Amino acid sequence: MACEYVKQHYSVPADIGRIVLVNGRSGVIAADHGHYIGVTFDDSDPDEIVPCHPTWQVEYRGMGVLRQLRSP
């Protein structure tokens, strides 16, 4: 199950598709990066997935929709 380590270790609702604010920047969790969450930010290219620490200035919100990736 995606993000299982992060959910269990940090007790956060990290799910693929969850909307997050990271240091005030809005995005959606798009990937499981082991000890980190992979976030695609709304103001960035949808193909850019940034690894973020799951508790450093992260606010978890409701579920959202992943943007379509540009690369084939």
Side-chain angles (χ1 to χ4, degrees):
M1 186 180 248
C3 303
E4 198 60 36
Y5 175 84
V6 167
K7 288 197 262 188
Q8 289 182 5
H9 188 77
Y10 295 105
S11 298
V12 295
D15 296 296
I16 302 297
R18 183 165 302 278
I19 299 167
V20 290
L21 282 180
V22 181
N23 196 25
R25 202 170 161 204
S26 181
V28 176
I29 299 174
D32 181 344
H33 281 201
H35 295 254
Y36 291 85
I37 53 175
V39 178
T40 180
F41 289 102
D42 297 344
D43 60 358
S44 294
D45 186 312
D47 290 337
E48 180 183 1
I49 299 175
V50 179
C52 300
H53 191 279
T55 61
W56 184 82
Q57 297 188 8
V58 178
E59 182 180 321
Y60 292 87
R61 300 207 166 173
M63 295 302 288
V65 177
L66 291 174
R67 294 184 298 159
Q68 184 68 33
L69 299 177
R70 289 190 217 176
S71 58

